[in-house]
Structures are given as structure tokens and as C-alpha cells.
Amino acid sequence: MGGDHFAYDAAFSRNIGWVTEAEQATLRRKRIAIAGMGGVGGGHLLTLARLGIGAFNIADFDTFDIVNFNRQAGALVSSLGRPKVEVLAGMARDINPECALRVFPQGVSDANLDEFLAGVDLYVDALDFFAFDIRRAVFAACRRLGIPAVTAAPLGIGAAVLIFLPDGMSFEEYFRLEGCDEEEMAMRFLLGLSPAMLQLGYLADPDRVSLAERRGPSTIAACQICAGVIATEALKILLGRGGVRAAPWGYQFDAYKLRLARTWRPGGNRNPLQRIALWFVRRQLEKMKAKGGAHVRP
């Protein structure tokens, strides 16, 4: 069956039951922006496309490499060297040929931010962990434009989730990144995402983690969990049902430990519990630097 024979109602008919026919029609009219088509972004796009979302703005400037094979939805032998955003756009259109896609092959930047968010009902964060400047700019723009924003971080073999609603706590109020150097921002972002730090304790090789060198291990299991969670939160936000707990509420599910932690951090990283955790991580980092290393070991 080719694109000429595609029928939206038939393609997504098995969603009906968990959503009504009217709700599915609503999802068809929604547009979601996703910045980043790598570790989690590609999975987000394909999962949301199968949910029946009708339109997307997607951005990424990178190309596929063999080191992406362990976790990235579009990483295939046939896609090596090709632009991620181009590959994922093609995959999304194979799921829904009627999907309305706006593609930003240069990635998202201050120059195209308003265009990237034009007509968007929800923003899904899938930027690289260390892309702090543009991440802050995107979340600030979402706040200004009244767009809900969701992020799900693949940590360990699980996901840590935060939601920022236009009338709730902002990204900046929660993470408190203003005036920080990159190392401090990395610590604040990590601990803000996962105050419960459920991923601690089962890392097989701690030397593979280094905030200073911008590297760490990853798994497809965590990325797939993130995609499922993002689709669920997107459904609730876009349909206005199910109950959404936004920041300073958050949650983390760890499949390896079979644990779910719901967190509440009034004041975000200014919360006393967060400040203690940040002090502890800074102290560990200083000790390791003194010994000639630069690793932050869970």
C-alpha cells in the first residue's frame, strides 16, 4: 500500500479506545516542535507520529555516525553521513504521508527561534545535554509565547521528566543557571532533572562518565522509555485531561531498579535539599581534580 492509499482514520484507528475519535481528530490538528533528532529526539518524533500528531517542526544540524547506532532511532547503515533531520523527516512521512513537517537543517538558534516555534502547541526538548545556551533560549521563548514545554532525560536505564507550563514555574526559576560556568550548569541541570538520582549504584564503568569531557554512556532502553513518557505527557497536555504535574514537581522512573520517584522541589535548585546535593557533587569533583582526574562518579 503506497502513500496514495494512505487513510489517516484507518492508520490510527487502534488508538481509539484510549482516546476518543474526537480526541484523535484534535491530535491530528496539533503541531509539536522538537529540537534535536538524536538520542531521544528521533524516538520522540516517530512515537508522536504514531500517536497521530499531524504536524511537526523539527531541528538538527548533525549527521549520523556509527557511534549513534546503540540508541538513535534513525541511525542505520543506510543513513551514515546523512543529516539526521532529513532521515527522520522521511521516516515520519513513511508513518504518515499527510504529516505537515517544517524542517530546520541548521538546527535551532536565536536567529530562527521564533520561526521554529511558530504555530506550535507543545515543545519537546531533545537537545544535547550540554547545549545550555540554546536550551535556555528555547525555554524562555516558550514561556514568552505561552507554549508548554516538556523534557525527558535518559538517565541510566530510565527517564527523568519535567514539565514547564506557561502559568507555572519557569525553566530559569527551577534550574537557576544564570551566571554559572558550564561545569556548574551541568551539575545543576543533572540534579535538577533527577533530584532522586535513581540511576546511582549500577553504573558498570564509572570512568565512562565525565562532565568535564562532555561524555557519558547511553542505552536504547532509556531512550525508548523517554519516548513513551513524552507521548503520554503530550497526550495529556494537548487534550487537557489526565492531570499534569508541572515544575517544581517532577518524576523519575528507573526500569533497572523498578522504582518510581515523584519529586517536589519548591524553589528548584534553591531548595535546601538541592543545595546540599550540589555542595556534595562539587566537593567530589574538587577531590577528583586534586587527584588528577576530572570525572564525576556516581
Side-chain angles (χ1 to χ4, degrees), residues 1 3 49 77 123 127 139 166 173 181-182 188 243 261 264 294:
M1 180 181 290
V77 170
Y123 169 67
L127 291 164
F139 274 92
E173 288 169 339
D181 61 22
E182 185 171 276
R188 291 190 180 202
W264 184 53

Side-chain angles (χ1 to χ4, degrees), residues 187-207:
M187 288 187 289
R188 291 190 180 202
F189 190 51
L190 176 60
L191 288 171
L193 283 168
S194 59
M197 293 296 284
L198 296 185
Q199 69 272 25
L200 298 183
Y202 60 87
L203 184 65
D205 185 355
D207 287 332

Side-chain angles (χ1 to χ4, degrees), residues 147-228:
I147 300 170
V150 185
T151 187
L155 298 175
I157 305 179
V161 183
L162 282 171
I163 300 168
F164 295 93
L165 299 179
D167 58 351
M169 191 176 200
S170 72
F171 180 92
E172 285 296 330
E173 288 169 339
Y174 183 85
F175 284 105
R176 303 281 174 176
L177 301 183
E178 184 68 33
C180 299
D181 61 22
E182 185 171 276
E183 191 174 86
E184 179 70 16
M185 283 195 283
M187 288 187 289
R188 291 190 180 202
F189 190 51
L190 176 60
L191 288 171
L193 283 168
S194 59
M197 293 296 284
L198 296 185
Q199 69 272 25
L200 298 183
Y202 60 87
L203 184 65
D205 185 355
D207 287 332
R208 293 288 180 168
V209 180
S210 175
L211 295 182
E213 297 173 18
R214 293 188 168 194
R215 61 177 173 84
S218 58
T219 70
I220 184 59
C223 293
Q224 296 280 40
I225 291 168
C226 286

Side-chain angles (χ1 to χ4, degrees), residues 61 136 162 168:
F61 58 80
R136 293 174 67 193
L162 282 171

